[in-house]
Amino acid sequence: MIIQLDPNITDAEQQQLSDKLASIKFKATNVKTQYANYLIGVGKGEFDIRSIGNLPGIRDIHRVSDAYKLVSRKWKVQDTVLEIGEDIKIGTGHFALMAGPCSIESEEQIAATIHHLKDNGVKIMRGGVYKPRSSPYSFRGLGIDGLKLWHSMAKEAGIAIITEVMMVEQIEAMADYVDIFQVGARNSQNFNLLDALGEVDKPVLLKRGISGTLDELLQSAEYIFSHGNEKIMLCERGIRTFEKAYRNTMDINAIAMLKEKSHLPVIADPSHGIGVRQFVDKIALASVMAGADGVIFEVHATPEKAFSDGQQTLNFQEANLLIGRMRKAFQLREEF
Ligand code: PEP
Ligand code: MN
């Protein structure tokens, strides 16, 4: 169960509530986020919801039987809409685009990408400065110096930054230069990292694990929320299946179903979702029609020369075309 506490709840009222939960053998966890105070009750016994709901100091109470609670739609019917800066909204009714290279490579590359994004009205730039690579001999990113350079250029252009954080220790140094923290597929169940991102007041885009189920993704999101940060987006980026014809299998089903299971915004990553440049546009459009609140994709002036993931990266011309089509698809979907 989720109990929303009155911000002015007294210690005595809090104690009365804890005693009540103990009496029905529910384990209680206090959650304090940037927006509200909650008490999460986990247990199996039957109880009369009114006997708790009527106690003083409580704003609202909801039964949530899912393993994940705060990210579930069962208590929050209204969709969450995140605000980034003054003019970016992510969530139902808004369509968010995030584009940029797989890896941040150089000043020239950052400048060219920013120019391309501004031309297309894209307000969020993606790029990795810490890269999780399958091989330790591959390019692993420019690190914090690359992030600082990128930040100074993006800020001047009014572009927000989303980039991957791989370790708890990186969070503090990165925080001033990042608008959205990305948790990559390989860290989707790095619970220490998720706990730590719960303590930061910055949006987090959480990717689904390479072989992660939707329940696992939602429980990972619950880690962030229950540690204090409600600003979360879920990201479908393809999963590993028996099919070898493409890098990953984009699970379009997941987009529709996550929108049903959770109130959080759902973002599609068709670049990693299929991993083949030629088909990224089709999968992006399918994702929009399936209900995605936004799309994150890889773009580079010369994908053939990209330091990573060139095979799935669009060039500027391809991206121009796709951006226009995605916006049209979103409008069409909103009319349905
Ligand atoms: C990326 O966004 O470049 C990336 C490494 O993504 P994922 O974690 O989905 O593989
Ligand atoms: Mn990539």
Side-chain angles (χ1 to χ4, degrees), residues 109-128:
Q109 179 222 33
I110 298 168
T113 309
I114 287 177
H115 191 260
H116 163 74
L117 298 183
K118 292 216 53 123
D119 268 358
N120 281 285
V122 175
K123 296 180 181 141
I124 307 172
M125 179 166 161
R126 63 142 290 144

Side-chain angles (χ1 to χ4, degrees), residues 101-103 126 128 131-132 164 182-186 207-208 210 237 247 269 272 296 298 309 312:
C102 180
S103 301
R126 63 142 290 144
K131 296 302 303 176
E164 176 163 355
Q182 173 175 319
V183 176
R186 290 153 194 82
K207 290 201 174 193
R208 182 179 181 182
I210 289 174
R237 50 77 75 200
R247 184 178 182 188
D269 175 350
H272 295 85
I296 182 166
E298 290 177 340
D309 283 353
Q312 65 190 31

Side-chain angles (χ1 to χ4, degrees), residues 72-180:
S72 171
R73 191 180 280 289
K74 289 202 178 125
W75 78 279
K76 188 167 181 273
V77 181
Q78 231 177 8
D79 289 313
T80 292
V81 175
L82 305 180
E83 291 186 22
I84 291 153
E86 275 161 25
D87 63 341
I88 305 174
K89 287 199 167 78
I90 305 181
T92 298
H94 308 273
F95 184 59
L97 283 172
M98 310 177 197
C102 180
S103 301
I104 296 298
E105 299 168 2
S106 65
E107 188 172 342
E108 297 70 42
Q109 179 222 33
I110 298 168
T113 309
I114 287 177
H115 191 260
H116 163 74
L117 298 183
K118 292 216 53 123
D119 268 358
N120 281 285
V122 175
K123 296 180 181 141
I124 307 172
M125 179 166 161
R126 63 142 290 144
V129 294
Y130 294 110
K131 296 302 303 176
R133 304 304 303 275
S134 299
S135 162
Y137 308 115
S138 301
F139 176 66
R140 294 173 71 178
L142 295 181
I144 194 74
D145 292 338
L147 178 60
K148 286 181 183 171
L149 169 69
W150 176 20
H151 174 261
S152 67
M153 295 168 75
K155 196 165 180 208
E156 202 177 301
I159 296 271
I161 286 182
I162 174 168
T163 194
E164 176 163 355
V165 57
M166 289 179 62
M167 298 194 302
V168 173
E169 295 73 19
Q170 291 165 345
I171 296 175
E172 201 181 320
M174 291 173 77
D176 285 345
Y177 308 101
V178 168
D179 298 287
I180 306 171

Side-chain angles (χ1 to χ4, degrees), residues 193-330:
L193 182 62
L194 301 174
D195 280 350
L197 287 168
E199 271 144 43
V200 178
D201 186 20
K202 288 250 169 179
V204 177
L205 178 136
L206 174 63
K207 290 201 174 193
R208 182 179 181 182
I210 289 174
S211 302
T213 64
L214 298 193
D215 259 42
E216 285 166 341
L217 174 64
L218 289 162
Q219 292 206 64
S220 288
E222 187 82 12
Y223 269 85
I224 303 171
F225 200 133
S226 64
H227 274 76
N229 186 0
E230 300 197 17
K231 298 176 181 171
I232 309 165
M233 295 165 243
L234 305 169
C235 178
E236 166 59 36
R237 50 77 75 200
I239 48 171
R240 180 161 292 173
T241 69
F242 52 81
E243 186 50 69
K244 296 280 179 287
Y246 24 77
R247 184 178 182 188
N248 291 304
T249 297
M250 184 70 173
D251 183 5
I252 300 283
N253 301 0
I255 297 168
M257 213 170 249
L258 286 170
K259 287 295 294 176
E260 178 65 27
K261 284 176 179 286
S262 176
H263 53 84
L264 297 173
V266 175
I267 306 296
D269 175 350
S271 306
H272 295 85
I274 186 160
V276 185
R277 185 187 310 156
Q278 187 187 347
F279 303 113
V280 167
D281 57 347
K282 294 165 185 68
I283 302 309
L285 292 169
S287 302
V288 176
M289 296 322 273
D293 297 304
V295 172
I296 182 166
F297 68 95
E298 290 177 340
V299 62
H300 194 287
T302 46
E304 321 61 57
K305 293 190 187 148
F307 288 8
S308 57
D309 283 353
Q311 81 291 343
Q312 65 190 31
T313 300
L314 304 184
N315 63 33
F316 289 164
Q317 219 177 348
E318 290 163 336
N320 285 344
L321 201 62
L322 176 59
I323 290 166
R325 288 181 177 166
M326 285 191 288
R327 287 186 173 136
K328 274 193 195 152
F330 176 71

